[in-house]
Amino acid sequence: MIEVLQGDIPKLQVDAIVNAANKTLLGGGGVDGAIHRAAGAKLREACRLLGGCPTGEAKITPGFQLPAKWVIHTVGPVWRGGAQGEARLLAACYRHAFELGLAHGVNTIAFPSISTGAYGYPKNAAAGIAVRLMREYDARFERIIACCFTEEDVSIYESVLHGTKVPSREK
Ligand code: ADP
């Protein structure tokens, strides 16, 4: 089942939360910073041992102090206008996160809107890719959560899921 909710992803009681990390995996701003603050210093140490992660791939650590058992770290593409393989790389993030989850017995998984913060990916297009991959994996998970930070993101995901169009702020 695919659910859209508004909230703070580190607080979710799920088997795995997905982190929109950067290639160093050493922590950053946005959702990455929030996850590291909530999980505690052991998460940074576990990430350091992973030695980074290429764009479009994913790596897994325990959740440490989080309610979630696992954190799946993936590195979204930086938006550079759309002709630099961004869509393929963003889809790869979701696919690799789902596959890692399946390999670790994850039944419930929550995603932030990868790449749509500091990395500048247009929100409607990113939600379209997220929902496409969520549908592809829906049958293999009990719950797939799109954890939105803002009300605007909730309405974007709802409209993509239900096939309605929201007025776009993107030009
Ligand atoms: P990226 O570098 O991949 O763009 P960001 O963390 O800057 O990553 O933003 C990714 C998305 O995460 C954005 O939609 C942002 O609003 C959202 N976000 C930021 N903090 C949180 C949080 N605590 N829980 C869920 N989503 C968050």
Side-chain angles (χ1 to χ4, degrees):
M1 184 175 51
I2 302 170
E3 295 166 51
V4 180
L5 54 87
Q6 188 178 359
D8 187 24
I9 202 167
K11 298 207 169 84
L12 298 184
Q13 310 245 358
V14 286
D15 296 335
I17 62 169
V18 176
N19 182 16
N22 57 51
K23 284 196 266 191
T24 69
L25 298 184
L26 296 178
V31 72
D32 195 9
I35 290 171
H36 276 272
R37 276 192 299 280
K42 284 187 175 168
L43 179 62
R44 186 153 293 110
E45 186 54 25
C47 284
R48 198 180 59 75
L49 298 174
L50 295 175
C53 181
T55 303
E57 295 190 18
K59 295 193 177 179
I60 193 165
T61 64
F64 298 102
Q65 291 173 34
L66 296 172
K69 183 173 184 196
W70 303 105
V71 180
I72 297 173
H73 308 264
T74 187
V75 182
V78 175
W79 180 257
R80 293 197 171 90
Q84 309 295 317
E86 291 94 332
R88 179 182 53 79
L89 288 165
L90 187 60
C93 288
Y94 285 91
R95 180 174 306 287
H96 288 132
F98 277 128
E99 293 293 338
L100 259 185
L102 288 172
H104 288 78
V106 166
N107 277 316
T108 56
I109 186 167
F111 288 84
S113 186
I114 300 165
S115 281
T116 65
Y119 284 1
Y121 207 111
K123 285 166 175 279
N124 283 302
I129 290 168
V131 167
R132 175 163 61 82
L133 273 292
M134 287 174 180
R135 286 195 170 122
E136 192 178 319
Y137 282 88
D138 193 9
R140 281 174 275 176
F141 290 84
E142 209 175 288
R143 296 175 75 193
I144 297 173
I145 297 169
C147 179
C148 298
F149 204 47
T150 65
E151 234 171 89
E152 186 201 6
D153 288 346
V154 171
S155 62
I156 289 171
Y157 272 86
E158 293 284 3
S159 70
V160 170
L161 262 172
H162 303 121
T164 49
K165 189 140 174 59
V166 276
S168 174
R169 293 183 194 177
E170 291 153 17
K171 284 274 149 347

